[in-house]
Amino acid sequence: MSNQIQKLKGGKRPGAGRKPGSTTRLEETIVIRIPASQKPVVSNLMEAYAKKQRFDQARENLDPVEVFTLPAQHLHRISLPLFESKVPAGFPSPADDHMEGRLDPNEYLIDQADTTFFVTIQGDSMIEAGLMPGDKAVVDKGKIAVVGDIVLVMIDGGFTIKTLAKQKDGSPKLLPANSSGKYMPILIQEPMQFQIWGVVTGSFRRFRQ
């Protein structure tokens, strides 16, 4: 009996140790010994590695924006006919009653020229918000973003356009507008670098040259 008790006290017991998946790390961990003086170095390396993993995971949902363009230095006033949406097929005469007025595209798209710039949409994460690849999004960095706005943000050095929302704790959350399941919401957490660069106020595109 004593021999059996002794054996139970020693060695690795079935089911002992930390259960798989009980840690917050993505990979299995091992125990290693390092000089105490090297602990800060290893900690910095692990933090850099963890940051890269977070960036790589977030980048899958970023649908990044990389092309920035400023408005022309001097915006010229343009006045073009504006027809009501009920205009039938065919091109009506400006003398018809269908003309609502005249529209200046610059004034319609740009509120403040000195705080506005354009970015080119490159992916399809916001297609259900009407932002298609190749579209020019109008971004106003002078507007204060609120929940529900489409915003241009920087996350860990990468730019993307998403809809601004909030998590339960009040932290920002970025939502795609693509129901295919290809893109997931981006939850902003420490120590991610996050900054709102502007509010998307509109967009435009060309169908042919």
Side-chain angles (χ1 to χ4, degrees), residues 183-199:
Y183 300 94
M184 300 297 293
I186 300 175
L187 307 181
I188 305 303
Q189 301 171 334
E190 293 291 345
M192 296 171 68
Q193 296 179 349
F194 172 76
Q195 184 178 4
I196 297 176
W197 272 52
V199 176

Side-chain angles (χ1 to χ4, degrees), residues 105 108-110 116-121 126-127 129-140 150 161 199-207:
Y108 181 73
L109 289 169
I110 300 174
T116 298
F117 57 95
F118 308 121
V119 295
T120 301
I121 303 296
M126 296 297 290
I127 57 174
L131 296 175
M132 305 294 181
D135 284 1
K136 305 297 181 182
V138 183
V139 181
D140 192 333
I150 299 176
I161 288 179
V199 176
V200 176
T201 59
S203 67
F204 57 96
R205 71 173 68 108
R206 291 195 63 160
F207 293 102

Side-chain angles (χ1 to χ4, degrees), residues 11 14 18-19 29 52 56 65 84 88 92-93 103-104 114-115 132 136 141 165 174 178 188 190 196 200 205 207:
R18 185 170 292 176
K19 302 297 185 295
T29 60
K52 183 179 184 302
D56 289 343
V65 172
E84 296 176 348
S93 166
L103 175 68
D104 184 338
D114 57 347
T115 61
M132 305 294 181
K136 305 297 181 182
K141 62 183 179 181
L174 303 174
N178 185 325
I188 305 303
E190 293 291 345
I196 297 176
V200 176
R205 71 173 68 108
F207 293 102

Side-chain angles (χ1 to χ4, degrees), residues 43-101:
S43 296
N44 289 338
L45 287 174
M46 291 300 297
E47 177 58 33
Y49 175 69
K51 181 178 179 180
K52 183 179 184 302
Q53 281 189 317
R54 288 193 301 270
F55 177 74
D56 289 343
Q57 292 167 4
R59 192 170 182 82
E60 295 178 1
N61 297 308
L62 280 184
D63 203 4
V65 172
E66 298 176 354
V67 181
F68 291 70
T69 310
L70 292 174
Q73 200 166 24
H74 301 289
L75 295 178
H76 300 288
R77 292 186 61 85
I78 304 173
S79 181
L80 301 174
L82 173 64
F83 293 93
E84 296 176 348
S85 58
K86 63 182 182 182
V87 173
F91 190 81
S93 166
D96 288 345
D97 295 334
H98 297 293
M99 192 171 76
E100 181 179 339

